[in-house]
C-alpha cells in the first residue's frame, strides 16, 4: 500500500523509539491507562500527519462529561480506529475482530489499550467478552465498537447496524454515542499517496432514559439513522 510505505519512509528515524515504547507499554500493570493511551494518541497522530491525512473533527463538546459510554461509529476502512484514537483524547478501548491481532503493530496497540478481541465463530468466547465489556462500562471505561461488524467497502455508504452491538450499553445502562466517519476509507483503502481529508463527527449521545423501552434492533436503527443524517448533511445529499 503506497500510503503505508510513505508513512514508514517519513517516520523512519522515529521507528526505533516507537518500537521501544510499543514493547515497554505492553506491561499494562506498570503504566496507567492515561499514559498508555497518550502514547497511542501521539503515535497515530504522527502516522496521520506522515500519511498526508488532514483530519476534520466536530462534536467533542457533546461527549458525556463522565467516562463510561459506548461509541458506535460506522466502519469505512482501516483508518477509522486511527481517527478515533487521534481525536478522542480521553482513553477509549476498542472491541475488535480477533483476526486483526495477526498484524504486528495492531496487536501491540491492542495489548497496550487492553482491547477486547472477539472471535465471531466462538459464541461462548463472544458472550464472555460482552460480559467483560459490560462490567468495564459500569466501572467507567469507555469503549468503541463498529456496529456493522466489518468495513462497508462502499465508501460513504453504510452496511446494516447489528443490534447485538448495543447489548453492553443497555445492560450497563450507559450512554451511546453515534459517531459519523466520512471519507475515512480514503487514507488506507485506496492506493494513492495524494493528500486526503477524513472526517469524524461525534453526535449527540443517546442516554438510557431515551432508549430504555427500545429493543437493541431498534437502538441500532436509531443510531444508524442519526449517523446517516449527519452524513447527508455533510455530503449535501
Amino acid at each position: 500500500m503506497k500510503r503505508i510505505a510513505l508513512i514508514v519512509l517519513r517516520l523512519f528515524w522515529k521507528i526505533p523509539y516507537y518500537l521501544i515504547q510499543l514493547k515497554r507499554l505492553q506491561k499494562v500493570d506498570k503504566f496507567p491507562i492515561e499514559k498508555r493511551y497518550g502514547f497511542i494518541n501521539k503515535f497515530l497522530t504522527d502516522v496521520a500527519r506522515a500519511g498526508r491525512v488532514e483530519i476534520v473533527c466536530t462534536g467533542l463538546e457533546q461527549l458525556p462529561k463522565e467516562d463510561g459510554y459506548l461509541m458506535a461509529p460506522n466502519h469505512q476502512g482501516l483508518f477509522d480506529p486511527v481517527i478515533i484514537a487521534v481525536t478522542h483524547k480521553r482513553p477509549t478501548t476498542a472491541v475488535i475482530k480477533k483476526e486483526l491481532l495477526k498484524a504486528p503493530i495492531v496487536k501491540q496497540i491492542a495489548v497496550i489499550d487492553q482491547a477486547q478481541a472477539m472471535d465471531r465463530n466462538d459464541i461462548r468466547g463472544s458472550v464472555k467478552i460482552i460480559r467483560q465489556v459490560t462490567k468495564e462500562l459500569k466501572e467507567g471505561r469507555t469503549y468503541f465498537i463498529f456496529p456493522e461488524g466489518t468495513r462497508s467497502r462502499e465508501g460513504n455508504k453504510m452496511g446494516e447496524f447489528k443490534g447485538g452491538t448495543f447489548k453492553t450499553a443497555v445492560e450497563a445502562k450507559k450512554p451511546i454515542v453515534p459517531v459519523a466517519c466520512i471519507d475515512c476509507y480514503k487514507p488506507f483503502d485506496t492506493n494513492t499517496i495524494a493528500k486526503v481529508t477524513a472526517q469524524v463527527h461525534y453526535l449527540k449521545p443517546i442516554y438510557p432514559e431515551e432508549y430504555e423501552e427500545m429493543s437493541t434492533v431498534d437502538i441500532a436503527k436509531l443510531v444508524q439513522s442519526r449517523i446517516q443524517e449527519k452524513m447527508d448533511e455533510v455530503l449535501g445529499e
Side-chain angles (χ1 to χ4, degrees), residues 27-86:
K27 299 174 182 178
V28 296
D29 293 336
K30 292 187 176 182
F31 301 98
I33 182 62
E34 291 78 13
K35 184 174 181 63
R36 288 183 277 118
Y37 186 77
F39 167 75
I40 294 172
N41 175 272
K42 178 64 168 62
F43 171 49
L44 295 181
T45 297
D46 288 348
V47 166
R49 288 173 179 166
R52 305 185 71 204
V53 183
E54 180 183 354
I55 292 175
V56 173
C57 173
T58 68
L60 289 173
E61 73 282 354
Q62 299 195 92
L63 291 173
K65 301 304 180 186
E66 296 183 0
D67 291 325
Y69 50 90
L70 180 70
M71 292 187 288
N74 57 306
H75 199 5
Q76 297 190 330
L78 298 173
F79 193 72
D80 300 341
V82 176
I83 201 170
I84 291 170
V86 168

Side-chain angles (χ1 to χ4, degrees), residues 86-154:
V86 168
T87 57
H88 193 277
K89 302 300 183 181
R90 285 185 279 167
T92 181
T93 305
V95 178
I96 62 175
K97 296 185 295 184
K98 189 176 181 180
E99 302 94 278
L100 292 176
L101 297 181
K102 296 177 182 178
I105 299 298
V106 174
K107 180 179 180 179
Q108 289 167 300
I109 290 176
V111 171
I112 291 171
D113 196 40
Q114 295 180 291
Q116 299 289 341
M118 186 176 290
D119 183 350
R120 289 172 293 183
N121 296 318
D122 181 0
I123 297 177
R124 182 175 295 180
S126 296
V127 170
K128 184 178 179 180
I129 287 175
I130 289 171
R131 288 174 178 167
Q132 181 64 27
V133 172
T134 301
K135 175 177 177 292
E136 292 183 10
L137 281 172
K138 287 180 179 178
E139 294 171 350
R141 175 166 285 194
T142 293
Y143 270 89
F144 73 89
I145 184 171
F146 298 107
E148 290 158 281
T150 189
R151 288 174 283 166
S152 68
R153 299 184 186 276
E154 294 188 65

Side-chain angles (χ1 to χ4, degrees), residues 212-229:
E212 61 184 354
E213 300 297 329
M214 300 172 64
S215 69
T216 54
V217 172
D218 288 335
I219 293 172
K221 291 178 180 178
L222 175 62
V223 172
Q224 185 164 10
S225 69
R226 292 195 177 180
I227 293 174
Q228 188 65 59
E229 286 175 8

Side-chain angles (χ1 to χ4, degrees), residues 1-11 47 50-51 78 187-193:
M1 193 181 301
K2 292 180 180 178
R3 198 175 304 274
I4 296 294
L6 174 67
I7 291 168
V8 172
L9 181 64
R10 297 183 72 176
L11 294 179
V47 166
L78 298 173
F188 292 155
D189 292 71
T190 57
N191 194 27
T192 177
I193 60 172

